[in-house]
Amino acid sequence: MKKIFLLVCLALTAGFSQAQQYNLGIGLKLGASNFLGDIGSGDVARDFVYNMEIQDTRWDVGVFARYRLNPIFAVQVAFEYARIQGNDANSESVERRGRNLSFTNDLLHLNAKFEWYPQLLSVSDVGYRGRYQLDYQTYFFVGIGGVYNNPKAELNGEKVALRPLMTEGVKYSPIALTAPLGGGFFFTYKKHHRIGFEFAWNWTFTDYLDDISTVYADPSQMSTDPNAAVLANRYKGGSFIPDAVQYGPGSPRGDASDRDNFMTMSVSYSYLLRTKNSFYRKNYSWMYGRKTRWGGTKAKF
């Protein structure tokens, strides 16, 4: 039984012990982003991805570094530049079309993720040819980050920053905490070249990524900029649209009970660098063997 157990352990960890000499990867990612907040599609507000509008999907680019702590855990640090947007004109809701608000927001997102690699969902030797040239890994993560954001709206063909206008009579910070969570997978070729895919759902601690949260404010509570009142209330009448009085000061403009979130999906390429990792030498030295004074290798089993 001991020999069988040892052989099983070797099968599960042999690939990792070789690959993890290359435990630092630096790379680029490119993908798409979308937004979940107070602007969305549908005739009623819906949760999660069901409230997203496909035509509002925009881009996400970034750089990242990943350090593999051991076969089970890794840490990834990333800096991403993503654009999100929303438009009431795309909604099936007559109330939202009457509200007639829109925004774009370029996000600068710095985040750190703690990754978990379940062994049952990974194959260290794709094809099982004994060469370990192609490695497949699946992972899940949770993290923390910060996002700098600056929502804007279009007026007379120009983009106008909304935060300084205090459209709801509120001063909110351009920086918000985030809590990314999600998962991904990647293939590693010849220990150095890694191609991956990742999905991240980024919970935020702000409700103002779209500049919409609570109620319509009185113009006296806003900035003295004349654009403030214009961009705070862009009511547009029409068939079945509620009366303008329902869009006056004190009336609901957004839903403050839910924070804004954004999603990213990306493909990535990273190059792995060979580094020394004391964890592996300390805990898996028997996999490498111990050199004798005659220059040979003495097996530990």
Side-chain angles (χ1 to χ4, degrees):
M1 284 297 294
K2 290 183 178 180
K3 290 183 177 180
I4 294 175
F5 178 74
L6 180 59
L7 289 174
V8 171
C9 291
L10 284 172
L12 291 174
T13 61
F16 286 114
S17 64
Q18 295 180 27
Q20 294 314 307
Q21 296 177 47
Y22 303 88
N23 48 20
L24 174 63
I26 299 174
L28 305 171
K29 59 175 62 178
L30 174 65
S33 64
N34 210 312
F35 167 76
L36 179 63
D38 291 289
I39 292 181
S41 63
D43 55 354
V44 295
R46 294 172 291 182
D47 294 327
F48 201 50
V49 296
Y50 306 106
N51 206 39
M52 290 181 173
E53 182 63 49
I54 297 299
Q55 62 186 337
D56 285 330
T57 299
R58 287 298 178 265
W59 39 262
D60 171 55
V61 297
V63 295
F64 68 95
R66 173 185 287 116
Y67 188 78
R68 197 73 175 266
L69 301 171
N70 56 49
I72 308 297
F73 300 111
V75 175
Q76 179 191 155
V77 177
F79 178 75
E80 300 173 65
Y81 177 32
R83 172 170 290 180
I84 57 174
Q85 71 175 39
N87 194 332
D88 280 336
N90 298 331
S91 178
E92 300 172 13
S93 167
V94 294
E95 289 81 6
R96 291 186 177 184
R97 291 205 302 271
R99 184 177 61 179
N100 195 36
L101 296 175
S102 63
F103 85 103
T104 61
N105 199 340
D106 290 341
L107 309 177
L108 300 178
H109 188 205
L110 178 64
N111 58 86
K113 303 165 186 171
F114 186 73
E115 300 175 343
W116 169 57
Y117 292 75
Q119 302 300 284
L120 294 177
L121 299 179
S122 300
V123 180
S124 59
D125 182 22
V126 176
Y128 298 100
R129 298 182 179 182
R131 299 178 182 177
Y132 296 96
Q133 290 190 340
L134 188 62
D135 172 271
Y136 171 80
Q137 302 286 308
T138 300
Y139 63 94
F140 303 94
F141 64 81
V142 295
I144 188 170
V147 61
Y148 175 86
N149 71 101
N150 185 25
K152 297 180 180 180
E154 186 173 322
L155 181 64
N156 299 324
E158 296 184 0
K159 295 288 187 179
V160 180
L162 295 170
R163 184 175 58 86
L165 301 181
M166 298 175 56
T167 56
E168 291 187 356
V170 175
K171 278 188 175 181
Y172 56 88
S173 174
I175 299 175
L177 290 176
T178 64
L181 57 95
F185 61 85
F186 54 73
F187 290 91
T188 306
Y189 180 64
K190 289 187 176 180
K191 300 182 181 179
H192 285 291
H193 305 284
R194 179 170 289 170
I195 302 294
F197 171 84
E198 183 176 280
F199 171 86
W201 187 263
N202 299 283
W203 299 93
T204 77
F205 293 81
T206 181
D207 195 31
Y208 280 104
L209 292 184
D210 52 9
D211 194 62
I212 304 169
S213 180
T214 56
V215 298
Y216 286 93
D218 188 277
S220 63
Q221 300 174 298
M222 305 176 193
S223 164
T224 56
D225 189 317
N227 289 331
V230 175
L231 293 174
N233 191 335
R234 310 189 78 172
Y235 171 76
K236 182 179 180 180
S239 300
F240 307 107
I241 300 296
D243 294 335
V245 67
Q246 297 189 32
Y247 299 88
S251 299
R253 189 172 185 259
D255 180 6
S257 63
D258 294 318
R259 298 292 185 262
D260 292 339
N261 305 296
F262 64 98
M263 173 271 294
T264 59
M265 291 189 297
S266 60
V267 294
S268 65
Y269 169 79
S270 58
Y271 184 82
L272 274 66
L273 305 174
R274 185 167 185 170
T275 62
K276 294 182 179 180
N277 189 328
S278 61
F279 175 90
Y280 282 93
R281 287 297 174 183
K282 179 180 179 181
N283 296 279
Y284 295 95
S285 59
W286 58 274
M287 297 291 295
Y288 297 94
R290 180 177 296 173
K291 289 186 177 181
T292 68
R293 63 178 178 175
W294 306 107
T297 299
K298 180 180 179 181
K300 294 280 288 183
F301 54 93

